[in-house]
Structure formats: structure tokens, C-alpha cells
Amino acid sequence: MVALVTGAQQGIGRACALALAAAGHDVAVNWLDDRAAAESVAEGVQAAGCKAALVQGDVGQGARACAALVEAAAAALGPVEVLVNNAGIFPRAEFLAMEEAEWDQVLAVNLKGSAFCAQAAARGMVAAGIGGCIINLASSAVRGTPVGVHYSATKNGVVGITRSMALALAPHGIRVNAIAPGLTDTAQPRYGNTDDEVRAMGAALPLGRLGTPEDIAAMAVFLASPGASWITGQVYHVNGGGYMP
């Protein structure tokens, strides 16, 4: 089985790529601007006994760029059967000072990029006559964040497109689900917070700690597995109890 993970050079994307390889998937590692980091992920995939391919590209550059990513992955490894739409950005912005360009950039990467990567992957699955699995990354920020109106909008949008794509693609045997991570030990929560502040926020969660990228990746592996074969259109909140919708 071939998996494509967008934004896989670090953080949750890296963990998803390595966890999928450990579960037996060949992995196309999409990276943006750190080839050395991406090569490290590819080495980890290969160490698990699976094939890896590096696929550079920016999902925020529109439908053609997204299609090119999927085509490159398929050319290197075969038809993509699992897509993890992980690539995303969260530039903090006070709402009253937010610029239109900031809004456009976040929507282009987080929402438009996810939609068109999914479209390209699904088209490939249908053409190959195979079912498949698309996993979108939402966020606990669906409930709102004062310094991320644009970010929250995109992650609520991800929930919406997940449900709609699940309905549209079910006749083709393609499942679509979303994972909404809570406070996770990556670079993201450290923008504007010290390490001590981040640890304190983790300690305040019901389960008493920050999430790890591997916690999120474990859910991705499950959703890509036969054990999730009757699950589609769902949003899984993986957050240590910090948000219970």
C-alpha cells in the first residue's frame, strides 16, 4: 500500500510517515523547504523495510501543484491508496490587525491545499480501480482561537470538506475522515509560548500531559487500516481530554 503524507518533513507529518511505514506502507514524503529533514524521514521509512520517495512541493500553490504532488508520488511508488493531508500553517494574527494576504495564505494552504490534494488522490484511486483512504488534519481550534480566526476558519472548513468528500467518494470505496489534534508537542504551540508555558498547558489537560506527534500518528494508522473499513465522514478528537465535543 502506498501512502502520501503532505508536510512530512517534521512534526505530526513526520510521525505519520514513520508510523505508516511501520505498519507496512511505502511512503511518499512531501516536503517544502528542508530536504535534509525529509531525507531523514525517508531513511526512517526505509529502515522499517518499506520504500520511500521524496516529493517536494507547496500545497498552497493551487490545484496543479497538488496534482503534481500526487502524480510524482504515484510515478515513484505506484497509485496512492492513503493520503494524509497534514500540511498546514498557523501564523498568529490578532483579528483587528489581520491582513487580507494572511487570510488568503492560510486558506490556500490549509483548506484549498487539502481539498485539491484529496481530489487528485481520489482521481488516481478511481482511475486505478482501487479504494482508498483520505485523512485530513483538522484541529481542536475548530472551537475558536483569538489569534487565529483564519486558522479556525480553515479547520472548520476541513471538517466540512471531510464530511462532503466522504459522501461524494463513498460509491468509489474511498473513505474520508479527519483527525483533530489538541495541544501537541511540536513547533506550533511554541509560537508565542515558552517551553515552560507549553508544559504547564499540557499538565492542565485531563490526561496531564502534552500530546506527542506519535499519538496523532497512531490514529492515522488506525484510520488507514482494515479495522476502520466501515468508518467514513468522522472527526476524531485526539487531545488528552482538552476538548470534548
Side-chain angles (χ1 to χ4, degrees):
M1 230 179 182
V2 175
L4 166 61
V5 183
T6 67
Q9 70 187 38
Q10 63 184 1
I12 290 172
R14 175 188 177 93
C16 286
L18 296 177
L20 286 165
H25 295 74
D26 296 332
V27 182
V29 178
N30 165 242
W31 60 284
L32 176 63
D33 56 9
D34 190 340
R35 184 180 182 90
E39 288 175 342
S40 174
V41 178
E43 289 169 2
V45 170
Q46 292 165 341
C50 296
K51 297 177 182 177
L54 296 180
V55 181
Q56 197 278 335
D58 182 355
V59 305
Q61 292 301 305
R64 287 186 180 180
C66 293
L69 289 182
V70 174
E71 290 166 7
L77 299 173
V80 173
E81 297 168 83
V82 176
L83 168 67
V84 180
N85 262 326
N86 167 76
I89 58 174
F90 184 3
R92 274 57 169 177
E94 297 289 345
F95 178 60
L96 295 179
M98 185 176 64
E99 300 285 345
E100 183 177 2
E102 293 175 295
W103 172 272
D104 289 346
Q105 181 189 26
V106 175
L107 265 70
V109 174
N110 296 4
L111 188 54
K112 186 176 180 179
S114 293
F116 282 99
C117 281
Q119 182 191 65
R123 285 174 171 172
M125 294 170 192
V126 172
I130 57 176
C133 171
I134 296 170
I135 302 166
N136 297 320
L137 267 291
S139 168
S140 60
V142 292
R143 59 181 172 171
T145 171
V147 293
V149 171
H150 47 6
Y151 182 77
S152 183
T154 63
K155 294 306 183 178
N156 277 282
V158 164
V159 171
I161 65 172
T162 295
R163 292 169 176 160
S164 295
M165 289 191 299
L167 294 171
L169 297 175
H172 301 287
I174 300 169
R175 299 180 298 104
V176 188
N177 293 289
I179 304 171
L183 186 68
T184 307
D185 193 7
T186 66
Q188 281 285 11
R190 288 174 168 78
Y191 295 132
N193 297 295
T194 67
D195 283 349
D196 287 343
E197 287 170 335
V198 172
R199 281 192 291 269
M201 288 188 286
L205 293 171
L207 289 182
R209 67 169 177 86
L210 291 172
T212 67
E214 290 73 24
D215 290 325
I216 313 306
M219 178 57 75
V221 170
F222 167 68
L223 290 173
S225 75
S229 63
W230 208 48
I231 298 174
T232 196
Q234 305 304 309
V235 181
Y236 287 88
H237 290 268
V238 183
N239 57 32
Y243 176 44
M244 302 181 186

